[in-house]
Amino acid sequence: MAKAMRFEALDSWRGICALCVVMFHFIGMMPSSLETSPFLRNSYLFVDFFFVLSGFVLCHSYRGKIVNPSDMLRFAIRRAGRVWPLHAVVLASFIALVVWINRLPHPEDLDLTVSGTVYSIDAIIPSALLLNAMGLVHGNVWNGPAWSIGAEFYVYLLFALLLLFSGRRLVLPCLALAVAGLILLHRWAPALMNSTWDYGIIRCIAGFFGGVVAFHVHEVTGQRGFFRATMWELGAIVVAVLFVIFAGDGADAVSPLSLAAPVVFGAAVIIFAGQQGLISLVLRARPFKALGRYSFSIYMIHQPLLIMLCYGLWSGGYYTKAFEGAVTQPWMGSVDLVMVDFMLAVVVLAAASYRFIEVPARRAFNRLADRPFAFRFSRKDRLAYDRSARLPYRLGVADHALDRG
C-alpha cells in the first residue's frame, strides 16, 4: 500500500491557529494594546478550524477501514490515546495547583468549591470523562479549552458508527449532520459559534462533518499550477481573516455570520490540502511543521499557565483582567512583550509535553488497540476484517501528527 499522504501545510496551520487561540485568551485576561483587535477578539473561531480539519483528516485516514465492532473499538482506543492522556495530566496538575493556591492568599475567582463555580469538585469527574461540552457542567470548568476535546471525542465515536453502517457513502449523511448542527445552533444556542460547555457538542458536529464533506470535495479537485495555487491560497487567507474580523465583536457579541465557520474553514482546508502554492511551500518548513506537531499541547496547556501567570501578577499587586484586587504596582514595560514571552514559553513547554506525554501515551494506546478483540462476526464481517487487517495501520499512517483529534 502506498504511504499515506501527509497534509503538512494544514498541520502547520493548526499550530498557527493554536497560537491565535492563545492570544485570544491572553488579551481576555491581561491588559494589552491588542485587546481592541477585531481579529484577535474573534479568534475563538479557530476552534472551528480544528473541528473541520479533524473531520477532513479522519475521513482521509479511516474511510472504508471501520467495517466491524473490532475496528470501531480499535478506533476508539486510538482516539482516546490521542486526546485523553494529556488532558488527564493537565487536569490533575491544575487541580493540584488550585488546591495548593487555596492554602495561600488568593482571589475569590480561584476558590475551590463543592459545586457551582469554575473550580468545583463536582465538575472534576465530568471533566475527566470528557463530558464537559454536553451541558452537564456549568461554564468552562477547570481547564476551559478542554471542552472542545470532550466534544471531539464523542463526535469521533459518532463518526465511527457512521462508517460502520454507511461504509464509504458519507457525503449525504455528513452534509445533513453539518447542516442540522448549524440549524440547531441558530435556534437554540445564544452564543451561536461561541458555544462551549452547553452546545459545544453540536458546534463540533457542524464543523467535524463539514470537514468530512470537505475531504470529498478535495478528492475531486483538480491540480493547479504554482502561480494559480498561490493565488488561491492568498485568497483563502484573505477570506478567512475577513470572516473572523466581521463574525462579531468578541466572544460576548457573536454575529450570526459566525455560523459560516465550517464553510469558510472547509474551503481553506480544501485549498491548502493541495499544497501546491508558495504559502504551502513556506508552511512546510521545519519550524512550522514543529509548531503543528506541538499544536495539541499548546492548546491544552496554555490556559492553566495563563491563569498561573495572572495569579502571580495578582500576588505581586499588578493589574490583570482575570482577578480583581488592590493594584499596588504600576506596570513597567510593555504587556505585549509579556505576551510574546508567554507564547514562547508555551511553545517550549508544549514541545516537552509532546515528547514526554503525547508520544509515549499514543504509542501505548496504539499497542493496546493492536491486541485482538473477540467479537462474534458474520462470515461477511470476517472476510472484511481479514482484508482490512492486511493494511498497514501504524502511528505514522492513520494517526500521524496532523491527526490531533
Side-chain angles (χ1 to χ4, degrees):
M1 181 179 176
K3 184 178 179 180
M5 180 179 180
R6 293 288 298 273
F7 300 104
E8 293 174 335
L10 292 177
D11 197 10
S12 296
W13 274 124
R14 192 195 295 276
I16 294 169
C17 291
L19 290 182
C20 288
V21 174
V22 174
M23 289 188 285
F24 164 74
H25 286 131
F26 187 94
I27 66 172
M29 294 188 182
M30 299 281 287
S32 169
S33 65
L34 300 176
E35 61 189 340
T36 59
S37 165
F39 178 80
L40 291 183
R41 285 168 58 85
N42 293 332
S43 286
Y44 63 87
L45 285 166
F46 287 114
V47 175
D48 298 290
F49 177 83
F50 300 151
F51 291 155
V52 171
L53 191 50
S54 289
F56 184 95
V57 173
L58 288 185
C59 183
H60 166 70
S61 298
Y62 287 100
R63 187 183 57 178
K65 295 180 182 178
I66 297 180
V67 296
N68 57 50
S70 276
D71 290 339
M72 185 171 175
L73 180 57
R74 289 186 175 89
F75 172 83
I77 293 173
R78 289 175 180 272
R79 293 294 86 213
R82 189 67 183 92
V83 300
W84 187 80
L86 179 59
H87 165 67
V89 170
V90 174
L91 178 62
S93 302
F94 196 33
I95 291 171
L97 281 170
V98 171
V99 170
W100 173 69
I101 286 172
N102 270 254
R103 303 179 63 181
L104 305 172
H106 63 276
E108 184 179 345
D109 291 336
L110 280 175
D111 280 347
L112 181 66
T113 64
V114 175
S115 63
T117 65
V118 173
Y119 305 109
S120 61
I121 295 172
D122 68 349
I124 292 176
I125 292 179
S127 295
L129 297 179
L130 297 172
L131 295 170
N132 45 354
M134 301 181 183
L136 301 180
V137 296
H138 185 74
N140 290 324
V141 295
W142 293 100
N143 185 13
W147 73 266
S148 66
I149 306 305
E152 278 200 54
F153 179 73
Y154 290 102
V155 172
Y156 294 157
L157 302 185
L158 177 59
F159 175 64
L161 279 172
L162 194 62
L163 287 175
L164 187 62
F165 291 104
S166 298
R168 300 177 69 91
R169 297 182 295 274
L170 296 174
V171 176
L172 288 181
C174 288
L175 182 61
L177 283 168
V179 172
L182 293 176
I183 292 173
L184 291 176
L185 286 172
H186 185 264
R187 295 192 62 180
W188 292 351
L192 298 173
M193 229 48 182
N194 190 34
S195 300
T196 55
W197 60 273
D198 47 3
Y199 297 102
I201 186 75
I202 299 177
R203 177 182 174 184
C204 182
I205 286 172
F208 183 94
F209 289 105
V212 175
V213 174
F215 178 75
H216 287 82
V217 176
H218 161 71
E219 284 192 309
V220 298
T221 301
Q223 296 290 312
R224 306 182 186 94
F226 180 78
F227 177 78
R228 186 181 178 191
T230 300
M231 293 299 101
W232 276 98
E233 290 176 356
L234 284 171
I237 293 173
V238 170
V239 170
V241 169
L242 290 175
F243 163 71
V244 172
I245 289 173
F246 291 105
D249 187 22
D252 297 326
V254 183
S255 164
L257 178 62
S258 67
L259 294 170
V263 177
V264 174
F265 293 137
V269 166
I270 292 168
I271 290 169
F272 279 96
Q275 306 186 126
Q276 298 163 342
L278 176 61
I279 300 173
S280 287
L281 182 64
V282 173
L283 290 172
R284 296 171 77 179
R286 290 181 62 183
F288 288 108
K289 290 165 65 176
L291 195 63
R293 286 195 301 273
Y294 308 149
S295 60
F296 183 48
S297 282
I298 290 171
Y299 184 76
M300 291 301 294
I301 71 174
H302 79 273
Q303 183 84 332
L305 291 175
L306 183 54
I307 291 171
M308 290 301 102
L309 172 63
C310 290
Y311 171 68
L313 292 170
W314 178 90
S315 300
Y318 292 95
Y319 168 73
T320 73
K321 293 190 285 185
F323 306 126
E324 295 183 359
V327 179
T328 60
Q329 300 291 336
W331 271 98
M332 303 296 291
S334 170
V335 183
D336 295 334
L337 290 179
V338 175
M339 181 174 70
V340 173
D341 291 338
F342 175 76
M343 292 174 63
L344 289 174
V346 167
V347 172
V348 171
L349 292 173
S353 169
Y354 173 80
R355 170 66 178 83
F356 296 108
I357 300 175
E358 283 194 66
V359 172
R362 199 186 319 168
R363 288 172 176 168
F365 274 76
N366 286 345
R367 287 194 296 269
L368 177 62
D370 287 337
R371 294 180 180 179
F373 297 100
F375 284 103
R376 294 181 179 272
F377 301 136
S378 66
R379 182 174 182 274
K380 178 180 178 182
D381 284 340
R382 286 198 300 272
L383 291 173
Y385 174 74
D386 290 339
R387 288 195 298 271
S388 65
R390 300 188 191 105
L391 300 176
Y393 203 53
R394 303 187 184 93
L395 175 65
V397 177
D399 288 289
H400 52 67
L402 174 61
D403 185 5
R404 176 184 70 87

